[in-house]
Structure formats: C-alpha cells, structure tokens
Amino acid sequence: AKESYFYFETKKIIEKEKFENFAKNMPKNIYRVKGFVKSNEGDLLFNFVAGRYDFEDFKTSNTELVFIGENISKINNKVLKELENTIM
C-alpha cells in the first residue's frame, strides 16, 4: 500500500457542525489529518488519528489541513468536495 497525502486550504469560514460530521465519516484509508480550522465557532487546531479527533482553541487566519493515508489519490477529489460542503 502506498502512503500519500494532500492539502486543503481556504480563507472562507467553515461550519463547525458540518465539519465534525465530515470528521466522523472520514474514509478508513485516511488515518491522519492535522491542521487549522477557521470556523463559525472560533479558530481551532484540528487533530485526527485513526478515527478519533479533537479540537483546541488556536488562532489562525485560514483553514489549512493535511490528510495522510494509504491509496488516497483515488478519493481525494471526493474528500475535497465534501470539505467544500462544510464552508458556510
């Protein structure tokens, strides 16, 4: 299996509830996501490992996330589209 990664970045505001729903339904082959989320409930540090995630307050000017997993090139467009849907 080939490990790979991709990025997501936006200056737009993310709806936290939709983003949490996205995190809960993360594809199984994505096992690590790390970065910052500029949400309607404040700026956050986001940490996702193997199905578990948490948020911490963290000042940021935009949303920047890196996704790490196995064979994710096949699904990154789908994941990016789902992320677009979390934008307010």
Side-chain angles (χ1 to χ4, degrees):
K2 187 171 173 339
E3 183 174 273
S4 53
Y5 60 91
F6 62 91
Y7 294 98
F8 175 77
E9 193 171 349
T10 184
K11 292 198 180 309
K12 296 173 183 161
I13 301 293
I14 300 288
E15 191 175 319
K16 186 172 182 244
E17 194 176 329
K18 282 185 178 178
F19 186 83
E20 279 203 74
N21 204 39
F22 164 79
K24 286 175 188 157
N25 295 293
M26 193 77 67
K28 295 276 183 268
N29 49 334
I30 293 176
Y31 46 75
R32 188 85 172 90
V33 184
K34 204 170 171 64
F36 312 107
V37 178
K38 189 158 191 72
S39 87
N40 60 322
E41 295 181 31
D43 299 350
L44 303 163
L45 175 67
F46 177 68
N47 218 350
F48 175 96
V49 183
R52 296 168 64 175
Y53 65 90
D54 59 51
F55 295 99
E56 278 176 59
D57 291 338
F58 193 94
K59 198 79 193 126
T60 185
S61 55
N62 57 349
T63 294
E64 288 180 63
L65 297 164
V66 61
F67 293 77
I68 304 166
E70 283 184 7
N71 301 317
I72 58 176
S73 59
K74 295 180 187 82
I75 59 162
N76 66 359
N77 285 340
K78 178 181 178 284
V79 171
L80 291 171
K81 196 170 296 239
E82 288 172 8
L83 268 169
E84 293 286 340
N85 292 334
T86 68
I87 293 172
M88 293 190 77

